[in-house]
Each structure stands twice: as C-alpha cells, then as structure tokens.
Amino acid sequence: MRKPTIQDVARTAGVGVGTVSRVLNNHTAVKDTTREAVLRAIADLEYTPNPHARRIAGGKSYTISILLPVVTTEFYVRLLDGLETTFQEARYDVAIFPLLDRSRLERYLGSHTLAYQADGLVMATYNLTGLFDQHRLRTQQPTVLVDAYSPAADCAYMDNVCGGRVAGEYACTLPGTLYAMWVETELDQLFTTRVFEDRRSGFCEALAAAGRVMKAEYVSSFDNLAARRSATRLLDEAELPCTVFASADLLAAALIDEALERGLRPGEDVRVIGFDDQPWAESRGLTTLHQPVEKMGQEAAALLLSRLSGHQGPARARKFSPVLVRRSSA
C-alpha cells in the first residue's frame, strides 16, 4: 500500500492542504475544531510528514541549535530533556553543540558556522550573556538564553541568590557550627559562571541577617574525587555537631558518604543541605533546594517557539526560584 500523503489528510479532514500544513507547523491561526479534525485524520491515516519536503516547502530548516558548555552533567541532561521535549512536540529537530573550551567558543562566534544555520538558537549558562550583550554573537535568528540572564534577549533562568538565601535561612535554624562547600570552576574567563557566586551571596546574606557566621568554607572542582577530598578535609577540621551547606548535590553526596564511613550520623552529627534535587537525592534522604530544571528548559523553548511563530516585542524574562525540600539529612 502507498503511504498516505498530505493531500489524503486534507481530503479526509475536509480542509485544504494549506490548513494541514499550518496544523503540522503548530500555527496559531487554526480553529480548535479544525485542528482536531486534521489531527484525527493524521492519526486515522497514520500519516507521517516528509521532513525533507517540509523543509523545502517552508523555506526553514525546522532545526534548533543548542550551545551549552558540556553535555555530561546531570543538570545539562535534565535541561536538554526539557528543551527537546518541547521542541519535538512542535516538530523541530535539535542540534547540540557542546562548547567544551575557549577555542570552540571562538569558532562559534562566527555566523558562518553550522550552529547558526538553524531557525533558532538556545544558549545555556556561563558567560555567553556577556558576549551577547557585546554583540559578539552575530545571530540573525531568534535566540533565547537558558539558565542565564540578559536584558537583551529572551531568557529563562534560576534565581540562585534566592536559593542560597533559603538555604541560609534554614541552616540558621539548625544547631551546631556552620560550614559551606562551594564549587570552584576551573575554566577560563569566557566560561566563568555566576551560579555559585550567587548561591554564596544569598547564603551569606541570610547568615548576616540572623547574626550567624560560617566557621569555615571549602571549595572543590565539580567531580566526585575532588568533592570527596573536600569532604574529608571538612570533617577532619569540623566541630561536631555541625550543619553544612553544600552548594551542589554532588558535594552533599560526597559529604554524606564520608560521614557514614566515619561512623557519623547524617542528620544528627552532620546536617547536610544540598542544592539541585537531583533524581537520586530523595533515595539518599538529602535535604536540598529543588531546581525545576526541566520546566526552565521547557519555558525557554516556548519563548523561542513564540518568536519563530512571529511574536514581536521586547525581551522577556522567566525567573524560577528553587524550593527547599526537607529530608533526613537535615
């Protein structure tokens, strides 16, 4: 049997081919009843659009480029899940471009590269916002920032200052000396990030308001071995019982593991507050700041799709606030 065509769908739904095309492209100028009739015809006929023909007919690539520092951390896996889910629902493919280092970023600053041949661009985190504000990113297509803020572009971002403040306010209600563990980024200046600086700012603000001070602070690069070394040093020097704000769940998990190995009781001898609420945090009993990472990605994708559908107007910002989730570790 031959494959059903867009003409077959139009005939079955009792509409024109142009209407079917608008439904396939999620165009807003289609009545709900008409859209339902077309979607029903597509399902009944098991029609699958020809992506090549769709691109030729529309003069568009139906591809979104996503530039982000890395793709291997849990945070970026979750962020990509939110972005891809929304773009795929709108029938857009996604091309992922991990920057990894300065040389790759410099290569992407030229508008001739493959990343800029897409219909839209998503830029994630780090100091890309500064490059955008300096007009070094010569983008002609709609662009959205995610997990970063700039007044010059649509963006969806996390309020890390608020998250740090919430962690600090809660830590001040717990007994014992106060400590903190921070992530120290080791990339060059183009890849600096305000995420952990903002978390520290909010945390210190809350402690100052409560008249509390940190006994000591520890830093770690973002990997398991370094986190465990920092946790070892902290517990070697800690006055117990104590409360520790670990600015990323990875650090918090390392601290809990080290405490258990020493026969200490997380939640009593060492109270641990993390930040991220990674998928495994609940099973570890980790008190942490929940980040709606997938939702932030979905909102960033929705902002970009609205631009691709013709939305005009000034840059829009969508701010997300972390929420404290209390579990047995604190």
Side-chain angles (χ1 to χ4, degrees):
M1 296 178 61
R2 72 175 180 86
K3 293 179 62 176
T5 65
I6 192 171
Q7 289 81 6
D8 296 328
V9 173
R11 192 161 40 248
T12 301
V15 298
V17 170
T19 299
V20 176
S21 178
R22 283 191 289 274
V23 171
L24 291 172
N25 292 321
N26 289 309
H27 199 284
T28 56
V30 180
K31 293 181 179 179
D32 289 342
T33 53
T34 302
R35 187 184 304 276
E36 290 173 5
V38 171
L39 292 175
R40 189 163 51 249
I42 289 172
D44 291 344
L45 294 171
E46 298 183 355
Y47 168 71
T48 302
N50 182 327
H52 181 65
R54 182 176 175 230
R55 288 177 170 88
I56 293 174
K60 299 169 67 176
S61 70
Y62 288 94
T63 301
I64 304 296
S65 290
I66 301 176
L67 272 65
L68 72 172
V70 295
V71 293
T72 53
T73 69
E74 290 170 304
F75 176 87
Y76 287 113
V77 169
R78 293 173 60 192
L79 184 63
L80 283 171
D81 181 60
L83 289 164
E84 287 186 297
T85 297
T86 302
F87 286 134
Q88 287 174 0
E89 288 175 355
R91 309 183 71 80
Y92 278 83
D93 293 324
V94 168
I96 300 170
F97 295 87
L99 298 176
L100 303 178
D101 57 35
R102 182 189 180 101
S103 63
R104 286 174 66 90
L105 175 60
E106 291 291 345
R107 192 159 72 247
Y108 287 133
L109 292 179
S111 59
H112 62 281
T113 57
L114 180 63
Y116 297 103
Q117 296 178 23
D119 296 329
L121 184 65
V122 176
M123 305 182 68
T125 316
Y126 288 112
N127 208 23
L128 297 173
T129 54
L131 297 171
F132 192 92
D133 293 342
Q134 297 159 18
H135 305 293
R136 292 190 63 195
L137 294 163
R138 297 179 292 277
T139 59
Q140 302 301 316
Q141 69 274 74
T143 301
V144 65
L145 301 176
V146 63
D147 196 37
Y149 172 79
S150 168
D154 288 340
C155 54
Y157 67 100
M158 203 69 61
D159 189 343
N160 285 290
V161 174
C162 171
R165 187 185 306 117
V166 171
E169 290 170 349
Y170 184 57
C172 287
T173 69
L174 302 173
T177 51
L178 290 175
Y179 298 90
M181 299 177 69
W182 310 110
V183 173
E184 182 179 51
T185 54
E186 298 176 345
L187 299 172
D188 60 56
Q189 182 62 32
L190 277 175
F191 284 91
T192 55
T193 171
R194 288 195 56 86
V195 168
F196 298 102
E197 181 181 338
D198 286 348
R199 292 177 189 179
R200 185 181 185 279
S201 174
F203 186 73
C204 292
E205 178 185 314
L207 266 58
R212 299 287 299 275
V213 295
M214 279 184 283
K215 181 72 174 178
E217 302 176 70
Y218 300 83
V219 296
S220 168
S221 57
F222 202 74
D223 69 79
N224 291 306
L225 183 59
R228 190 60 180 267
R229 284 197 298 262
S230 293
T232 298
R233 183 179 165 214
L234 187 157
L235 291 177
D236 283 345
E237 301 172 356
E239 296 177 6
L240 303 178
C242 68
T243 296
V244 183
F245 173 45
S247 60
D249 283 354
L250 181 144
L251 305 186
L255 184 60
I256 290 174
D257 289 341
E258 181 63 24
L260 290 171
E261 190 166 299
R262 294 173 182 231
L264 299 175
R265 298 163 297 175
E268 295 185 42
D269 302 312
V270 183
R271 294 176 174 85
V272 184
I273 303 169
F275 200 118
D276 288 326
D277 199 19
Q278 298 291 7
W280 46 262
E282 183 175 8
S283 65
R284 296 298 307 271
L286 178 60
T287 292
T288 187
L289 276 295
H290 173 75
Q291 293 196 95
V293 178
E294 293 85 356
K295 188 174 181 181
M296 180 174 65
Q298 291 166 2
E299 184 63 25
L303 287 171
L304 185 56
L305 289 171
S306 72
R307 292 287 183 187
L308 293 173
S309 296
H311 175 80
Q312 302 292 323
R316 300 160 294 173
R318 301 288 186 267
K319 181 168 68 176
F320 293 83
S321 296
V323 177
L324 181 69
V325 179
R326 294 172 57 177
R327 301 188 180 107
S328 61
S329 74

